[in-house]
Amino acid sequence: MTKHGPILPLWLCETCGRPWPCAARRLELLSDYAASPISLALHMGACLTSAKTDMSWAPPDALQRRFLGWMP
């Protein structure tokens, strides 16, 4: 179980305080979903949708890069 979960509604990492998904959580997610990258994309897409609601003040393109732009 990860210690790098999001603190909602700001989507900050509960361990390091960086924007979620932080670098540590990204590595965990890549490992967890190594056999199923489409599932990772769907999961992160769902997180992006929630984050857009929670952080309506944030630029949509920045949120998209943050939640989806790091995936291979």
Side-chain angles (χ1 to χ4, degrees):
M1 188 75 177
T2 186
K3 293 182 179 182
H4 292 273
I7 297 173
L8 304 177
L10 295 177
W11 292 85
L12 298 174
C13 176
E14 64 186 349
T15 299
C16 62
R18 295 178 185 255
W20 193 92
C22 64
R25 185 61 181 139
R26 289 176 183 187
L27 290 174
E28 291 173 348
L29 287 165
L30 288 172
S31 175
D32 292 347
Y33 288 91
S36 186
I38 292 173
S39 293
L40 174 58
L42 291 171
H43 171 67
M44 292 309 298
C47 291
L48 171 61
T49 299
S50 294
K52 282 182 177 180
T53 300
D54 291 340
M55 298 188 299
S56 58
W57 47 267
D61 58 329
L63 289 177
Q64 185 165 346
R65 284 191 306 274
R66 177 174 163 182
F67 284 87
L68 303 176
W70 58 271
M71 293 186 295

